[in-house]
Amino acid sequence: MRRPFDRPLRLTMLVCVCASVASLPSRAEPRHGLATFGELSYAADFKRFGYVNPDAPKGGSMSMIGPSGQGTFDSFNDFVFKGDAAQG
């Protein structure tokens, strides 16, 4: 059986818990990025990503048409209602 003072007691406890959590100091310091695991890989002033080759040859061409003369695909699903399925 519920006692008549259970609800105000619960409300008071909830307010106390929320106030104490809100008053805790923040442990996170502002950063320039976000890392899911561990430390950030790059400093705030990095010049290029580690997988980029700065001496890569420039120029060339790119074909947007596949080997069968159709456009490129935008889904591996053969049963798409919109877009193009993969060739072959």
Side-chain angles (χ1 to χ4, degrees), residues 6-65:
D6 278 348
R7 186 171 179 169
L9 180 63
R10 288 182 186 172
L11 182 62
T12 304
M13 289 175 56
L14 178 65
V15 168
C16 290
V17 167
C18 290
S20 63
V21 168
S23 67
L24 290 174
S26 175
R27 294 182 183 153
E29 58 188 43
R31 310 279 310 258
H32 64 279
L34 176 69
T36 307
F37 302 105
E39 292 296 317
L40 295 172
S41 297
Y42 300 104
D45 58 344
F46 79 100
K47 302 291 184 219
R48 62 181 173 84
F49 291 106
Y51 53 82
V52 173
N53 180 4
D55 301 323
K58 309 293 189 264
S61 63
M62 184 172 105
S63 174
M64 295 295 289
I65 298 176

Side-chain angles (χ1 to χ4, degrees), residues 70-78 80-87:
Q70 298 176 355
T72 60
F73 72 97
D74 50 21
S75 176
F76 282 113
N77 187 350
D78 291 334
V80 293
F81 294 113
K82 292 182 178 180
D84 301 317
Q87 297 175 14

